[in-house]
Coordinates of all heavy atoms in Angstrom, one line a residue:
M1 N 298.8 -102.0 129.7 CA 298.0 -103.0 129.1 C 296.6 -103.0 129.7 O 295.6 -103.2 129.0 CB 298.7 -104.4 129.3 CG 298.0 -105.5 128.6 SD 298.2 -105.4 126.9 CE 297.5 -106.9 126.4
K2 N 296.5 -102.8 131.0 CA 295.2 -102.8 131.7 C 294.3 -101.6 131.2 O 293.1 -101.8 131.0 CB 295.4 -102.7 133.2 CG 294.1 -102.8 133.9 CD 294.4 -102.9 135.4 CE 293.1 -103.2 136.1 NZ 293.3 -103.5 137.5
S3 N 294.9 -100.5 130.9 CA 294.2 -99.3 130.4 C 293.7 -99.6 129.0 O 292.6 -99.2 128.6 CB 295.1 -98.1 130.5 OG 295.1 -97.4 129.3
L4 N 294.4 -100.3 128.2 CA 294.0 -100.6 126.8 C 292.8 -101.6 126.9 O 291.9 -101.5 126.1 CB 295.2 -101.3 126.1 CG 294.9 -101.6 124.6 CD1 294.6 -100.4 123.8 CD2 296.1 -102.3 124.0
K5 N 292.8 -102.5 127.8 CA 291.7 -103.5 128.0 C 290.5 -102.8 128.4 O 289.4 -103.0 127.9 CB 292.1 -104.6 129.0 CG 291.1 -105.6 129.1 CD 291.5 -106.7 130.1 CE 290.5 -107.8 130.2 NZ 290.9 -108.9 131.1
N6 N 290.6 -101.8 129.4 CA 289.4 -101.0 129.8 C 288.9 -100.2 128.7 O 287.7 -100.1 128.5 CB 289.8 -100.1 131.0 CG 290.0 -100.9 132.3 OD1 289.5 -102.0 132.4 ND2 290.7 -100.3 133.2
S7 N 289.7 -99.6 127.8 CA 289.2 -98.9 126.7 C 288.5 -99.7 125.7 O 287.5 -99.3 125.2 CB 290.4 -98.2 126.0 OG 291.0 -97.3 126.8
F8 N 289.0 -100.9 125.5 CA 288.3 -101.8 124.6 C 286.9 -102.2 125.1 O 286.0 -102.3 124.4 CB 289.2 -103.1 124.3 CG 288.6 -104.0 123.3 CD1 288.6 -103.7 122.0 CD2 288.1 -105.2 123.8 CE1 288.0 -104.6 121.1 CE2 287.5 -106.1 122.8 CZ 287.5 -105.8 121.5
I9 N 286.8 -102.5 126.4 CA 285.5 -102.9 127.0 C 284.6 -101.7 126.9 O 283.4 -101.9 126.6 CB 285.7 -103.3 128.5 CG1 286.5 -104.7 128.5 CG2 284.4 -103.4 129.2 CD1 286.8 -105.1 129.9
F10 N 285.1 -100.5 127.1 CA 284.2 -99.3 127.0 C 283.7 -99.2 125.6 O 282.5 -98.9 125.3 CB 285.0 -98.1 127.4 CG 284.2 -96.8 127.4 CD1 283.2 -96.6 128.2 CD2 284.5 -95.9 126.4 CE1 282.5 -95.4 128.2 CE2 283.8 -94.7 126.3 CZ 282.8 -94.5 127.2
L11 N 284.6 -99.4 124.6 CA 284.2 -99.3 123.2 C 283.2 -100.3 122.8 O 282.2 -100.1 122.1 CB 285.5 -99.4 122.3 CG 285.3 -99.3 120.8 CD1 284.8 -97.8 120.5 CD2 286.5 -99.6 120.1
E12 N 283.4 -101.6 123.3 CA 282.4 -102.6 123.1 C 281.1 -102.3 123.6 O 280.0 -102.5 123.0 CB 282.9 -103.9 123.8 CG 283.6 -104.9 122.9 CD 283.9 -106.2 123.7 OE1 284.0 -106.2 124.9 OE2 284.0 -107.2 123.0
T13 N 281.0 -101.7 124.8 CA 279.8 -101.3 125.4 C 279.1 -100.3 124.6 O 277.9 -100.3 124.4 CB 280.0 -100.8 126.9 OG1 280.8 -101.8 127.6 CG2 278.8 -100.5 127.6
I14 N 279.8 -99.3 124.2 CA 279.2 -98.2 123.4 C 278.6 -98.8 122.1 O 277.5 -98.5 121.7 CB 280.2 -97.1 123.1 CG1 280.7 -96.4 124.3 CG2 279.7 -96.1 122.0 CD1 279.6 -95.6 125.0
V15 N 279.4 -99.6 121.4 CA 278.9 -100.2 120.1 C 277.7 -101.1 120.4 O 276.7 -101.0 119.6 CB 280.0 -101.0 119.5 CG1 279.5 -101.9 118.3 CG2 281.2 -100.1 119.0
S16 N 277.7 -101.8 121.4 CA 276.5 -102.7 121.8 C 275.3 -101.8 122.0 O 274.2 -102.1 121.6 CB 276.8 -103.5 123.0 OG 277.8 -104.4 122.7
L17 N 275.4 -100.7 122.8 CA 274.3 -99.8 123.0 C 273.7 -99.2 121.7 O 272.5 -99.1 121.6 CB 274.7 -98.7 124.0 CG 274.9 -99.2 125.5 CD1 275.4 -98.1 126.3 CD2 273.6 -99.7 126.0
I18 N 274.6 -98.8 120.9 CA 274.2 -98.3 119.6 C 273.4 -99.3 118.8 O 272.4 -99.0 118.2 CB 275.4 -97.7 118.8 CG1 276.0 -96.5 119.5 CG2 275.0 -97.4 117.3 CD1 277.3 -96.0 118.9
V19 N 273.9 -100.5 118.7 CA 273.2 -101.6 117.9 C 271.9 -101.9 118.5 O 270.9 -102.0 117.8 CB 274.1 -102.9 117.9 CG1 273.3 -104.0 117.3 CG2 275.4 -102.6 117.0
V20 N 271.8 -102.0 119.8 CA 270.5 -102.2 120.5 C 269.5 -101.1 120.3 O 268.3 -101.3 120.0 CB 270.7 -102.5 122.0 CG1 269.4 -102.4 122.8 CG2 271.4 -103.8 122.2
S21 N 270.0 -99.8 120.3 CA 269.1 -98.7 120.1 C 268.6 -98.7 118.7 O 267.4 -98.3 118.4 CB 269.8 -97.4 120.5 OG 270.8 -97.1 119.6
I22 N 269.4 -99.0 117.7 CA 269.0 -99.1 116.3 C 267.9 -100.2 116.1 O 266.9 -100.0 115.5 CB 270.2 -99.4 115.4 CG1 271.1 -98.1 115.3 CG2 269.7 -99.8 114.0 CD1 272.4 -98.3 114.6
I23 N 268.1 -101.3 116.7 CA 267.1 -102.4 116.6 C 265.8 -102.0 117.3 O 264.7 -102.2 116.7 CB 267.7 -103.7 117.3 CG1 268.8 -104.3 116.4 CG2 266.6 -104.8 117.5 CD1 269.6 -105.4 117.1
V24 N 265.8 -101.4 118.4 CA 264.6 -101.0 119.1 C 263.9 -99.9 118.3 O 262.7 -99.9 118.1 CB 264.9 -100.4 120.5 CG1 263.8 -99.7 121.1 CG2 265.4 -101.6 121.4
T25 N 264.6 -99.0 117.7 CA 264.0 -97.9 116.9 C 263.3 -98.5 115.7 O 262.2 -98.1 115.3 CB 265.1 -96.9 116.4 OG1 265.7 -96.4 117.6 CG2 264.5 -95.8 115.6
I26 N 264.0 -99.5 115.0 CA 263.4 -100.1 113.8 C 262.1 -100.9 114.2 O 261.1 -100.8 113.5 CB 264.4 -101.1 113.2 CG1 265.5 -100.2 112.5 CG2 263.7 -102.0 112.2 CD1 266.7 -101.1 112.0
F27 N 262.2 -101.6 115.4 CA 261.0 -102.3 115.8 C 259.8 -101.4 116.1 O 258.7 -101.6 115.6 CB 261.3 -103.1 117.1 CG 260.1 -103.7 117.7 CD1 259.6 -104.9 117.2 CD2 259.5 -103.2 118.8 CE1 258.5 -105.5 117.7 CE2 258.4 -103.8 119.4 CZ 257.9 -105.0 118.8
F28 N 260.0 -100.2 116.8 CA 258.9 -99.3 117.0 C 258.4 -98.7 115.8 O 257.2 -98.4 115.6 CB 259.4 -98.3 118.1 CG 259.3 -98.7 119.5 CD1 260.4 -98.7 120.3 CD2 258.2 -99.3 120.0 CE1 260.4 -99.1 121.6 CE2 258.1 -99.7 121.3 CZ 259.3 -99.7 122.1
K29 N 259.3 -98.4 114.8 CA 258.9 -97.7 113.6 C 258.0 -98.7 112.8 O 257.0 -98.3 112.3 CB 260.1 -97.3 112.7 CG 259.7 -96.8 111.4 CD 260.4 -95.5 111.1 CE 260.2 -95.0 109.7 NZ 258.8 -94.5 109.5
L30 N 258.4 -100.0 112.7 CA 257.6 -100.9 112.0 C 256.2 -101.1 112.6 O 255.2 -101.2 112.0 CB 258.3 -102.3 111.9 CG 259.5 -102.3 111.0 CD1 260.2 -103.6 111.0 CD2 259.2 -102.0 109.5
S31 N 256.2 -101.2 114.0 CA 255.0 -101.3 114.7 C 254.0 -100.1 114.5 O 252.8 -100.3 114.2 CB 255.2 -101.5 116.2 OG 254.1 -101.5 116.9
Y32 N 254.6 -98.9 114.5 CA 253.8 -97.7 114.3 C 253.2 -97.7 112.9 O 252.1 -97.4 112.7 CB 254.6 -96.5 114.6 CG 253.9 -95.2 114.2 CD1 253.0 -94.7 115.1 CD2 254.2 -94.5 113.1 CE1 252.3 -93.5 114.8 CE2 253.5 -93.3 112.8 CZ 252.6 -92.8 113.6 OH 251.9 -91.7 113.3
D33 N 254.1 -98.0 111.9 CA 253.6 -97.9 110.5 C 252.5 -99.0 110.2 O 251.6 -98.7 109.5 CB 254.8 -98.2 109.5 CG 255.7 -97.0 109.4 OD1 255.3 -95.9 109.9 OD2 256.8 -97.1 108.9
N34 N 252.6 -100.1 110.9 CA 251.6 -101.1 110.7 C 250.3 -100.7 111.3 O 249.2 -100.9 110.6 CB 252.1 -102.4 111.4 CG 251.2 -103.6 111.0 OD1 250.6 -103.6 110.0 ND2 251.2 -104.6 111.9
N35 N 250.2 -100.1 112.4 CA 249.0 -99.6 113.0 C 248.4 -98.5 112.2 O 247.2 -98.4 112.0 CB 249.2 -99.0 114.4 CG 249.5 -100.1 115.4 OD1 249.2 -101.3 115.2 ND2 250.2 -99.8 116.5
T36 N 249.2 -97.6 111.7 CA 248.8 -96.5 110.8 C 248.2 -97.1 109.5 O 247.1 -96.6 109.1 CB 249.9 -95.5 110.5 OG1 250.5 -95.0 111.7 CG2 249.4 -94.4 109.6
H37 N 248.8 -98.1 109.0 CA 248.3 -98.7 107.7 C 247.0 -99.4 108.0 O 246.1 -99.2 107.1 CB 249.4 -99.7 107.3 CG 249.0 -100.3 106.0 ND1 249.0 -99.6 104.8 CD2 248.6 -101.6 105.7 CE1 248.6 -100.4 103.8 NE2 248.4 -101.6 104.3
K38 N 246.8 -100.0 109.1 CA 245.5 -100.7 109.4 C 244.4 -99.6 109.5 O 243.3 -99.8 109.0 CB 245.6 -101.5 110.7 CG 246.3 -102.8 110.5 CD 246.4 -103.5 111.8 CE 247.2 -104.8 111.7 NZ 247.3 -105.5 113.0
K39 N 244.7 -98.5 110.2 CA 243.7 -97.4 110.3 C 243.3 -96.9 108.9 O 242.1 -96.6 108.6 CB 244.1 -96.3 111.2 CG 244.1 -96.7 112.7 CD 244.6 -95.6 113.6 CE 244.6 -96.0 115.0 NZ 245.1 -94.9 115.9
F40 N 244.3 -96.7 108.1 CA 244.1 -96.1 106.8 C 243.2 -97.1 106.0 O 242.3 -96.7 105.3 CB 245.4 -95.9 106.0 CG 245.2 -95.4 104.6 CD1 244.8 -94.1 104.4 CD2 245.4 -96.3 103.6 CE1 244.6 -93.7 103.1 CE2 245.2 -95.8 102.3 CZ 244.8 -94.5 102.0
Q41 N 243.5 -98.4 106.0 CA 242.7 -99.4 105.3 C 241.3 -99.4 105.8 O 240.3 -99.5 105.0 CB 243.3 -100.8 105.5 CG 244.5 -101.0 104.6 CD 245.0 -102.5 104.8 OE1 244.9 -103.1 105.9 NE2 245.6 -103.0 103.7
S42 N 241.1 -99.3 107.1 CA 239.7 -99.3 107.6 C 239.0 -98.0 107.2 O 237.8 -98.1 106.8 CB 239.8 -99.3 109.2 OG 238.5 -99.3 109.7
L43 N 239.6 -96.9 107.2 CA 239.0 -95.6 106.7 C 238.7 -95.7 105.3 O 237.6 -95.3 104.8 CB 239.9 -94.4 107.0 CG 239.3 -93.1 106.7 CD1 238.0 -92.8 107.5 CD2 240.3 -92.0 107.0
N44 N 239.6 -96.3 104.5 CA 239.3 -96.4 103.0 C 238.2 -97.3 102.8 O 237.4 -97.1 101.9 CB 240.6 -96.9 102.4 CG 240.6 -96.8 100.9 OD1 239.9 -95.9 100.3 ND2 241.3 -97.6 100.2
N45 N 238.1 -98.4 103.5 CA 237.0 -99.4 103.4 C 235.6 -98.7 103.6 O 234.6 -98.8 102.9 CB 237.2 -100.6 104.3 CG 236.2 -101.6 104.1 OD1 235.6 -101.8 103.0 ND2 235.9 -102.4 105.1
I46 N 235.6 -97.9 104.7 CA 234.3 -97.2 105.1 C 234.0 -96.2 104.0 O 232.8 -96.1 103.6 CB 234.5 -96.5 106.5 CG1 234.6 -97.5 107.6 CG2 233.3 -95.6 106.7 CD1 235.0 -97.0 108.9
S47 N 235.0 -95.5 103.5 CA 234.7 -94.5 102.5 C 234.2 -95.1 101.2 O 233.3 -94.6 100.6 CB 236.1 -93.8 102.2 OG 235.9 -92.9 101.1
N48 N 234.7 -96.3 100.8 CA 234.2 -97.0 99.6 C 232.8 -97.4 99.8 O 232.0 -97.3 98.9 CB 235.1 -98.2 99.3 CG 236.4 -97.7 98.7 OD1 236.6 -96.6 98.2 ND2 237.4 -98.6 98.8
K49 N 232.4 -97.9 101.0 CA 231.0 -98.3 101.2 C 230.1 -97.1 101.2 O 229.0 -97.2 100.6 CB 230.9 -99.0 102.6 CG 231.4 -100.4 102.6 CD 231.2 -101.0 104.0 CE 231.6 -102.5 103.9 NZ 231.2 -103.1 105.2
L50 N 230.5 -96.0 101.7 CA 229.7 -94.8 101.6 C 229.5 -94.3 100.2 O 228.4 -93.8 99.8 CB 230.2 -93.7 102.5 CG 230.2 -93.9 104.0 CD1 230.9 -92.8 104.8 CD2 228.7 -94.0 104.5
K51 N 230.5 -94.4 99.4 CA 230.4 -93.9 98.0 C 229.4 -94.8 97.2 O 228.7 -94.4 96.3 CB 231.8 -94.0 97.3 CG 232.7 -92.9 97.7 CD 234.0 -93.0 97.0 CE 235.0 -91.9 97.5 NZ 236.3 -92.1 97.0
K52 N 229.4 -96.1 97.6 CA 228.5 -97.1 96.9 C 227.1 -97.2 97.5 O 226.3 -98.0 97.1 CB 229.2 -98.5 96.9 CG 230.5 -98.6 96.1 CD 231.1 -100.0 96.3 CE 232.4 -100.0 95.7 NZ 233.0 -101.4 95.9
S53 N 226.9 -96.4 98.5 CA 225.7 -96.4 99.3 C 225.4 -97.8 99.9 O 224.3 -98.3 99.9 CB 224.5 -96.0 98.5 OG 224.6 -94.6 98.1
D54 N 226.5 -98.5 100.3 CA 226.4 -99.8 100.9 C 226.5 -99.6 102.4 O 227.6 -99.4 102.9 CB 227.5 -100.7 100.4 CG 227.5 -102.0 101.1 OD1 226.5 -102.4 101.8 OD2 228.5 -102.8 101.0
Y55 N 225.4 -99.5 103.1 CA 225.3 -99.2 104.5 C 225.3 -100.4 105.4 O 224.8 -100.3 106.6 CB 224.2 -98.2 104.8 CG 224.2 -97.0 103.9 CD1 223.1 -96.5 103.3 CD2 225.4 -96.3 103.7 CE1 223.1 -95.4 102.5 CE2 225.5 -95.2 102.9 CZ 224.3 -94.7 102.3 OH 224.3 -93.6 101.6
S56 N 225.7 -101.6 104.9 CA 225.7 -102.7 105.8 C 226.8 -102.5 106.9 O 227.8 -101.9 106.7 CB 226.1 -104.0 105.0 OG 227.4 -103.8 104.4
N57 N 226.5 -103.0 108.1 CA 227.3 -102.8 109.3 C 227.4 -101.4 109.7 O 228.4 -101.0 110.4 CB 228.7 -103.4 109.1 CG 228.7 -104.9 108.8 OD1 227.8 -105.6 109.3 ND2 229.6 -105.3 108.0
M58 N 226.4 -100.5 109.3 CA 226.4 -99.1 109.8 C 225.0 -98.9 110.3 O 224.0 -99.5 110.0 CB 226.7 -98.2 108.6 CG 228.0 -98.3 108.0 SD 228.3 -97.1 106.7 CE 229.7 -97.7 105.9
Q59 N 225.0 -97.9 111.2 CA 223.7 -97.5 111.8 C 223.1 -96.4 111.0 O 223.7 -95.4 110.6 CB 223.9 -97.0 113.2 CG 224.5 -98.0 114.2 CD 224.8 -97.5 115.5 OE1 224.9 -96.2 115.7 NE2 225.0 -98.3 116.5
T60 N 221.8 -96.6 110.7 CA 221.1 -95.5 110.0 C 219.9 -95.0 110.8 O 219.2 -95.8 111.5 CB 220.6 -96.0 108.6 OG1 219.7 -97.1 108.8 CG2 221.7 -96.4 107.7
S61 N 219.6 -93.8 110.7 CA 218.4 -93.2 111.4 C 218.0 -92.0 110.6 O 218.7 -91.4 109.8 CB 218.8 -92.8 112.8 OG 219.8 -91.8 112.8
Q62 N 216.7 -91.6 110.8 CA 216.2 -90.4 110.2 C 216.0 -89.3 111.2 O 215.6 -89.5 112.3 CB 214.8 -90.7 109.5 CG 214.9 -91.6 108.3 CD 213.5 -91.8 107.6 OE1 212.5 -91.3 108.1 NE2 213.6 -92.5 106.5
E63 N 216.4 -88.1 110.8 CA 216.4 -87.0 111.7 C 215.9 -85.8 111.0 O 216.0 -85.7 109.7 CB 217.8 -86.7 112.3 CG 218.4 -87.8 113.1 CD 219.7 -87.4 113.7 OE1 220.1 -86.2 113.5 OE2 220.3 -88.3 114.3
E64 N 215.4 -84.8 111.7 CA 215.0 -83.5 111.1 C 216.0 -82.5 111.7 O 216.3 -82.4 112.9 CB 213.6 -83.1 111.5 CG 212.6 -83.6 110.6 CD 211.3 -82.8 110.7 OE1 211.2 -81.8 111.4 OE2 210.3 -83.3 110.1
I65 N 216.6 -81.8 110.8 CA 217.6 -80.7 111.2 C 217.0 -79.4 110.7 O 216.2 -79.3 109.8 CB 219.0 -81.0 110.6 CG1 219.0 -81.0 109.1 CG2 219.6 -82.2 111.2 CD1 220.4 -81.0 108.5
I66 N 217.4 -78.3 111.4 CA 217.0 -77.0 111.0 C 218.3 -76.2 110.6 O 219.3 -76.2 111.3 CB 216.4 -76.3 112.2 CG1 215.2 -77.0 112.7 CG2 216.1 -74.8 111.9 CD1 214.6 -76.5 114.0
I67 N 218.2 -75.7 109.4 CA 219.3 -74.9 108.9 C 218.8 -73.4 108.7 O 217.6 -73.2 108.6 CB 219.8 -75.4 107.5 CG1 218.8 -75.4 106.4 CG2 220.4 -76.8 107.7 CD1 219.3 -75.6 105.0
L68 N 219.7 -72.5 108.7 CA 219.5 -71.1 108.5 C 220.0 -70.7 107.1 O 221.2 -70.8 106.9 CB 220.1 -70.3 109.6 CG 219.7 -68.9 109.7 CD1 218.2 -68.7 110.0 CD2 220.5 -68.2 110.8
E69 N 219.1 -70.3 106.2 CA 219.5 -69.9 104.9 C 218.9 -68.5 104.6 O 217.7 -68.3 104.6 CB 219.0 -70.9 103.8 CG 219.4 -70.6 102.4 CD 218.9 -71.7 101.4 OE1 218.3 -72.7 101.9 OE2 219.0 -71.4 100.2
N70 N 219.8 -67.6 104.4 CA 219.4 -66.2 104.2 C 218.5 -65.7 105.3 O 217.5 -65.0 105.0 CB 218.8 -66.0 102.8 CG 219.8 -66.3 101.7 OD1 221.0 -66.1 101.8 ND2 219.2 -66.9 100.6
G71 N 218.8 -66.0 106.5 CA 217.9 -65.5 107.6 C 216.6 -66.3 107.8 O 215.8 -65.9 108.6
V72 N 216.4 -67.3 107.0 CA 215.1 -68.1 107.1 C 215.5 -69.5 107.5 O 216.3 -70.1 107.0 CB 214.4 -68.1 105.7 CG1 213.1 -68.9 105.8 CG2 214.1 -66.7 105.2
E73 N 214.7 -69.9 108.6 CA 214.9 -71.3 109.1 C 214.2 -72.3 108.2 O 213.1 -72.1 107.8 CB 214.4 -71.4 110.5 CG 215.3 -70.8 111.5 CD 214.8 -71.1 112.9 OE1 213.8 -71.7 113.1 OE2 215.5 -70.6 113.9
K74 N 214.9 -73.4 107.8 CA 214.3 -74.4 107.0 C 214.5 -75.7 107.7 O 215.5 -76.0 108.3 CB 215.0 -74.5 105.7 CG 214.7 -73.4 104.7 CD 215.3 -73.7 103.3 CE 214.9 -72.6 102.4 NZ 215.4 -72.9 101.0
K75 N 213.4 -76.5 107.8 CA 213.5 -77.9 108.3 C 213.8 -78.9 107.2 O 213.1 -78.8 106.2 CB 212.2 -78.3 109.0 CG 212.0 -77.6 110.3 CD 210.8 -78.1 111.0 CE 210.5 -77.4 112.4 NZ 209.4 -77.9 113.1
L76 N 214.7 -79.7 107.4 CA 215.1 -80.7 106.4 C 215.1 -82.1 107.0 O 215.5 -82.3 108.2 CB 216.5 -80.5 105.8 CG 216.7 -79.2 105.1 CD1 218.2 -79.0 104.7 CD2 215.9 -79.1 103.8
S77 N 214.5 -83.1 106.3 CA 214.6 -84.5 106.8 C 215.8 -85.1 106.2 O 216.1 -85.0 105.0 CB 213.4 -85.2 106.3 OG 212.2 -84.7 106.9
V78 N 216.7 -85.7 107.0 CA 217.9 -86.3 106.6 C 218.0 -87.7 107.1 O 217.4 -88.1 108.1 CB 219.1 -85.4 107.0 CG1 219.2 -84.1 106.3 CG2 219.2 -85.3 108.5
K79 N 218.8 -88.4 106.4 CA 219.1 -89.8 106.8 C 220.6 -89.7 107.3 O 221.5 -89.3 106.6 CB 219.0 -90.7 105.6 CG 219.4 -92.2 105.9 CD 219.3 -92.9 104.6 CE 219.1 -94.4 104.7 NZ 219.1 -95.1 103.4
K80 N 220.8 -90.1 108.6 CA 222.1 -90.1 109.2 C 222.7 -91.5 109.2 O 222.1 -92.4 109.7 CB 222.0 -89.6 110.6 CG 223.4 -89.5 111.3 CD 223.2 -89.0 112.7 CE 224.6 -88.9 113.4 NZ 224.4 -88.4 114.8
I81 N 223.8 -91.7 108.6 CA 224.5 -92.9 108.5 C 225.8 -92.8 109.4 O 226.6 -91.9 109.2 CB 224.9 -93.3 107.1 CG1 223.7 -93.4 106.2 CG2 225.7 -94.6 107.0 CD1 223.5 -92.2 105.3
T82 N 225.9 -93.7 110.4 CA 227.0 -93.6 111.3 C 227.8 -95.0 111.3 O 227.2 -96.0 111.3 CB 226.5 -93.4 112.7 OG1 225.7 -92.2 112.7 CG2 227.7 -93.2 113.7
S83 N 229.1 -94.8 111.2 CA 230.0 -96.0 111.2 C 231.0 -95.8 112.4 O 231.5 -94.7 112.5 CB 230.8 -96.1 109.9 OG 231.7 -97.2 110.1
S84 N 231.1 -96.8 113.2 CA 232.0 -96.7 114.4 C 232.8 -98.0 114.5 O 232.4 -98.9 115.1 CB 231.2 -96.5 115.6 OG 232.0 -96.4 116.7
T85 N 234.0 -98.0 113.9 CA 234.9 -99.2 113.9 C 236.3 -98.7 114.1 O 236.8 -97.7 113.6 CB 234.8 -100.0 112.6 OG1 235.1 -99.1 111.5 CG2 233.4 -100.5 112.4
N86 N 237.1 -99.5 114.8 CA 238.5 -99.3 115.0 C 238.9 -97.9 115.3 O 239.8 -97.3 114.7 CB 239.3 -99.8 113.7 CG 239.1 -101.2 113.4 OD1 238.8 -102.0 114.3 ND2 239.3 -101.6 112.2
E87 N 238.3 -97.4 116.3 CA 238.6 -96.0 116.8 C 238.2 -94.9 115.7 O 238.7 -93.8 115.9 CB 240.0 -95.9 117.2 CG 240.4 -96.8 118.4 CD 241.8 -96.7 118.7 OE1 242.6 -95.8 118.2 OE2 242.3 -97.5 119.6
I88 N 237.5 -95.3 114.7 CA 237.1 -94.3 113.7 C 235.6 -94.1 113.7 O 234.9 -95.1 113.6 CB 237.6 -94.8 112.3 CG1 239.1 -94.9 112.2 CG2 237.0 -93.8 111.2 CD1 239.6 -95.5 110.9
K89 N 235.2 -92.9 114.0 CA 233.7 -92.6 114.0 C 233.4 -91.7 112.9 O 234.0 -90.6 112.8 CB 233.4 -92.0 115.4 CG 233.5 -93.0 116.5 CD 233.2 -92.5 117.8 CE 233.4 -93.6 118.8 NZ 233.7 -93.1 120.1
L90 N 232.5 -92.1 112.0 CA 232.3 -91.3 110.8 C 230.8 -91.2 110.6 O 230.0 -92.2 110.8 CB 232.9 -92.0 109.6 CG 232.9 -91.3 108.3 CD1 233.8 -90.0 108.4 CD2 233.3 -92.2 107.2
S91 N 230.3 -90.0 110.3 CA 228.8 -89.8 110.1 C 228.6 -89.1 108.8 O 229.4 -88.3 108.3 CB 228.2 -88.9 111.2 OG 228.3 -89.5 112.4
K92 N 227.6 -89.5 108.1 CA 227.2 -89.0 106.8 C 225.7 -88.6 106.8 O 224.9 -89.4 107.4 CB 227.5 -90.0 105.7 CG 227.0 -89.5 104.3 CD 227.3 -90.6 103.3 CE 226.7 -90.2 101.9 NZ 226.9 -91.2 100.9
Y93 N 225.4 -87.5 106.3 CA 224.0 -87.1 106.2 C 223.5 -87.0 104.7 O 224.3 -86.5 103.9 CB 223.8 -85.7 106.8 CG 224.0 -85.7 108.3 CD1 225.3 -85.4 108.8 CD2 223.0 -85.9 109.2 CE1 225.5 -85.4 110.2 CE2 223.2 -85.8 110.6 CZ 224.4 -85.6 111.1 OH 224.6 -85.6 112.4
E94 N 222.4 -87.7 104.5 CA 221.8 -87.6 103.1 C 220.4 -87.0 103.2 O 219.7 -87.3 104.1 CB 221.7 -89.0 102.5 CG 222.9 -89.7 102.2 CD 222.7 -91.0 101.5 OE1 221.6 -91.6 101.6 OE2 223.7 -91.6 101.0
L95 N 220.2 -86.1 102.3 CA 218.9 -85.4 102.2 C 217.8 -86.4 101.7 O 218.0 -87.1 100.7 CB 219.0 -84.2 101.3 CG 217.8 -83.3 101.2 CD1 217.5 -82.7 102.5 CD2 218.0 -82.2 100.2
I96 N 216.7 -86.4 102.5 CA 215.6 -87.3 102.0 C 214.6 -86.4 101.2 O 214.2 -85.3 101.7 CB 214.8 -87.9 103.3 CG1 215.8 -88.8 104.1 CG2 213.6 -88.6 102.8 CD1 215.2 -89.3 105.3
K97 N 214.4 -86.8 100.0 CA 213.5 -86.0 99.1 C 212.1 -86.4 99.2 O 211.7 -87.5 99.4 CB 214.0 -86.1 97.7 CG 215.4 -85.5 97.6 CD 215.9 -85.5 96.2 CE 217.3 -84.9 96.1 NZ 217.8 -84.9 94.8

């Protein structure tokens, strides 16, 4: 009888550990997916603003860059738009005509 009781306690312990591990796994998965979703939303928001040329809350500056085209150096004036939010750093260059 004592051996049967010990076996039952061992089985209970194993089942409890499995249930706890499933709960912890689900919790971490939900937390990870939520963080990923927030980053995706933030990146999508920045992308939409750049498409609409809405540069509010972004840094803009004018720069001259040098490119090499067919062995000839060309200087171009560009507008640099930089967004830095939620661990996402994004830069866009527009040619100034």
Side-chain angles (χ1 to χ4, degrees):
M1 185 71 176
K2 189 172 183 170
S3 131
L4 184 63
K5 185 176 179 181
N6 286 341
S7 295
F8 183 72
I9 291 173
F10 180 71
L11 182 65
E12 263 187 332
T13 305
I14 296 296
V15 169
S16 296
L17 287 173
I18 290 172
V19 168
V20 167
S21 68
I22 290 172
I23 290 171
V24 168
T25 302
I26 289 171
F27 175 76
F28 281 124
K29 175 129 176 74
L30 290 176
S31 175
Y32 175 77
D33 287 346
N34 192 22
N35 289 337
T36 303
H37 183 68
K38 285 180 183 178
K39 286 181 182 178
F40 177 75
Q41 281 182 329
S42 180
L43 185 60
N44 194 27
N45 185 27
I46 293 170
S47 175
N48 287 338
K49 283 185 175 184
L50 289 174
K51 286 179 186 175
K52 295 176 186 177
S53 296
D54 176 15
Y55 304 135
S56 59
N57 300 325
M58 295 183 195
Q59 298 173 344
T60 59
S61 62
Q62 289 186 356
E63 296 182 7
E64 271 197 11
I65 60 172
I66 299 173
I67 63 168
L68 189 61
E69 183 179 354
N70 296 329
V72 178
E73 287 186 355
K74 289 186 176 183
K75 286 186 180 181
L76 298 174
S77 295
V78 294
K79 180 184 201 180
K80 181 179 179 182
I81 301 101
T82 306
S83 175
S84 177
T85 57
N86 298 338
E87 300 177 7
I88 298 173
K89 294 179 179 156
L90 187 68
S91 295
K92 175 183 177 183
Y93 293 89
E94 290 183 347
L95 186 61
I96 298 175
K97 296 181 181 180

